[in-house]
Amino acid sequence: MTTTTDTARPGRLRRLVPLLAAGALLTACGTTPAPGPAAAPVPAGTDCPEPGVAITAGPANAAMGLRVLTIEMVNCGIHRYTVTGYPVVQVLDDEHRPLGITVESGSSAYGAVSGLDATPVQVTLLPGERATSALAWRNTLVGPVLPTPLTAGTGTHLAVSPTPGRPPQTVTPGHPLDFGDAVAPAVGPWTPAAAR
């Protein structure tokens, strides 16, 4: 029996390898999206109300009668979220009724609070990114307090809107909000939060 060798096969293989590699590359380019900037991870288990941000309020720090409460907003959605200016804050009682306490946007009365009177800037949050604001008030009153428009009750909840005209979210700081003095509480503008 005679055995023949196909001497043309190695040449054909050498010509096919580049073609197969090019085909694989074209296939990959057609199915893989172009790389972009990596988005920060969205916190697991976070409820994400419309329009894609979740607002929380931390415990208030108190010193010499000055209270400062941090309000935080996280982009829990999948799109960019942009705000400029101040959150809108309304003080609610334990039954979620408005107390009629005016919350100002910035105030020189609380000059010790860093950033409260800062110039508002546009803040754009990518998914997972955060912005913060500060709510400040002073209560140096001791003992019984006569009812006034500002001390008509102790706040329990806050209704916070990212900016005017956007739906509010109700947050509960976890301790009473003891507004007591005649100076209205004030809220600072949104600022980007440091990365965690």
Side-chain angles (χ1 to χ4, degrees), residues 88-92 157-161 168-171:
V88 178
V89 179
Q90 187 176 37
V91 183
L92 311 176
H157 312 283
L158 297 173
V160 183
S161 301
Q169 298 177 30
T170 301
V171 298

Side-chain angles (χ1 to χ4, degrees), residues 14-52:
R14 281 194 296 272
R15 289 192 299 272
L16 285 175
V17 168
L19 293 175
L20 292 172
L25 182 61
L26 289 173
T27 301
C29 289
T31 58
T32 304
V42 176
T46 300
D47 292 331
C48 194
E50 292 293 336

Side-chain angles (χ1 to χ4, degrees), residues 108-168:
S108 58
Y110 302 104
V113 180
S114 176
L116 200 66
D117 283 322
T119 302
V121 297
Q122 179 174 292
V123 178
T124 298
L125 303 177
L126 297 177
E129 292 184 337
R130 302 166 186 270
T132 60
S133 175
L135 175 66
W137 71 96
R138 191 180 299 279
N139 186 352
T140 57
L141 301 176
V142 179
V145 179
L146 294 176
T148 68
L150 194 57
T151 58
T154 298
T156 303
H157 312 283
L158 297 173
V160 183
S161 301
T163 56
R166 297 191 184 180

